[in-house]
Amino acid sequence: SQQGEEDPQALSIQEGENATMNCSYKTSINNLQWYRQNSGRGLVHLILIRSNEREKHSGRLRVTLDTSKKSSSLLITASRAADTASYFCATDRAGANSKLTFGKGITLSVRP
Amino acid sequence: GAVVSQHPSRVICKSGTSVKIECRSLDFQATTMFWYRQFPKQSLMLMATSNEGSKATYEQGVEKDKFLINHASLTLSTLTVTSAHPEDSSFYICSARDAGRATGELFFGEGSRLTVL
């Protein structure tokens, strides 16, 4: 079964607005990570939140984690056209040497 | 830091030939690298986990004789698609973990788009 599932699948917003993307997962995790992928490129790590953390910030990014609901959200504030990309959540169940399981991704379009 | 270089970025080959894709960690040592396949507008499908100095661990349904993985050094893993067919056309991406970091993030190559004619 899909470990990480994001919603919505696609999001279109106006530049300057905030973008909120959600991720749900099924099993217990060690940490959850968000990645960004520009079309036809590799993935870039954005932020990692550990299972004992509830909220984390990095620049215009804010991620939350609710382990009781097995869900996470990624908020991008004051979006820019350059934020247009696909965003994936990935769960790590067993720590540093384990594989990540990626969700299906959210396509974010920021209109200038 | 933590740069992963993947080559070639694009390759076109004839059906029946073999293609090798390289994944290098440029400024860190990677005891573990991962190979993924990605179809258009879809997520990454993990194909195998490549461990330096040992055999790769393949995911269920991935043919190990079809997709040969070699991880001969702490900075290089290769994926060879043998006897390629048009259905092997896809976007292949590698990633690596920095053995010197305690955090669990992955560093990705830029991907290789394979087209088999």
Side-chain angles (χ1 to χ4, degrees):
Chain A
S1 60
Q2 185 73 39
Q3 171 70 333
E5 294 192 15
E6 299 94 338
D7 77 86
Q9 291 189 345
L11 181 62
S12 180
I13 59 174
Q14 197 71 38
E15 200 166 32
E17 294 179 339
N18 295 341
T20 300
M21 292 167 273
N22 302 301
C23 170
S24 61
Y25 57 93
K26 292 183 170 60
T27 66
S28 61
I29 60 171
N30 179 281
N31 64 71
L32 184 144
Q33 304 175 33
W34 285 90
Y35 289 81
R36 166 198 169 123
Q37 182 182 34
N38 284 5
S39 180
R41 307 291 295 274
L43 278 71
V44 175
H45 177 261
L46 295 177
I47 196 165
L48 179 154
I49 186 164
R50 301 189 189 286
S51 60
N52 61 353
E53 297 176 310
R54 292 296 166 259
E55 186 172 315
K56 206 164 181 181
H57 296 254
S58 177
R60 292 185 296 113
L61 305 180
R62 171 177 168 255
V63 66
T64 63
L65 180 65
D66 187 334
T67 52
S68 66
K69 295 181 180 179
K70 291 185 168 59
S71 67
S72 172
S73 67
L74 174 68
L75 169 68
I76 303 175
T77 60
S79 65
R80 305 167 182 167
D83 294 328
T84 295
S86 292
Y87 292 82
F88 295 88
C89 71
T91 52
D92 185 343
R93 284 191 266 182
N97 292 319
S98 70
K99 57 190 180 185
L100 297 184
T101 303
F102 285 83
K104 295 180 180 178
I106 299 170
T107 301
L108 173 66
S109 298
V110 181
R111 304 185 300 274
Chain B
V3 177
V4 174
S5 174
Q6 187 174 340
H7 290 281
S9 58
R10 291 180 181 272
V11 57
I12 300 172
C13 70
K14 292 182 179 179
S15 189
T17 60
S18 295
V19 174
K20 180 185 284 188
I21 301 170
E22 291 188 348
C23 182
R24 292 180 185 273
S25 56
L26 297 186
D27 50 2
F28 66 97
Q29 293 186 332
T31 52
T32 304
M33 290 185 173
F34 303 91
W35 286 95
Y36 305 84
R37 184 172 178 175
Q38 186 178 32
F39 293 101
K41 300 188 185 301
Q42 294 192 27
S43 187
L44 284 74
M45 182 191 80
L46 179 64
M47 299 174 66
T49 302
S50 169
N51 301 297
E52 185 267 336
S54 64
K55 291 182 179 180
T57 303
Y58 288 81
E59 295 299 303
Q60 191 173 6
V62 178
E63 300 176 58
K64 55 184 68 176
D65 294 332
K66 172 75 173 176
F67 299 99
L68 299 178
I69 291 172
N70 183 279
H71 194 155
S73 77
L74 285 171
T75 59
L76 174 64
S77 176
T78 61
L79 168 68
T80 301
V81 183
T82 63
S83 186
H85 290 282
E87 57 266 30
D88 298 325
S89 298
S90 191
F91 191 57
Y92 294 88
I93 312 177
C94 71
S95 69
R97 272 208 171 98
D98 183 344
R101 294 184 190 222
T103 51
E105 70 264 45
L106 295 179
F107 300 97
F108 283 80
E110 286 295 310
S112 300
R113 183 161 303 283
L114 170 64
T115 302
V116 185
L117 303 177

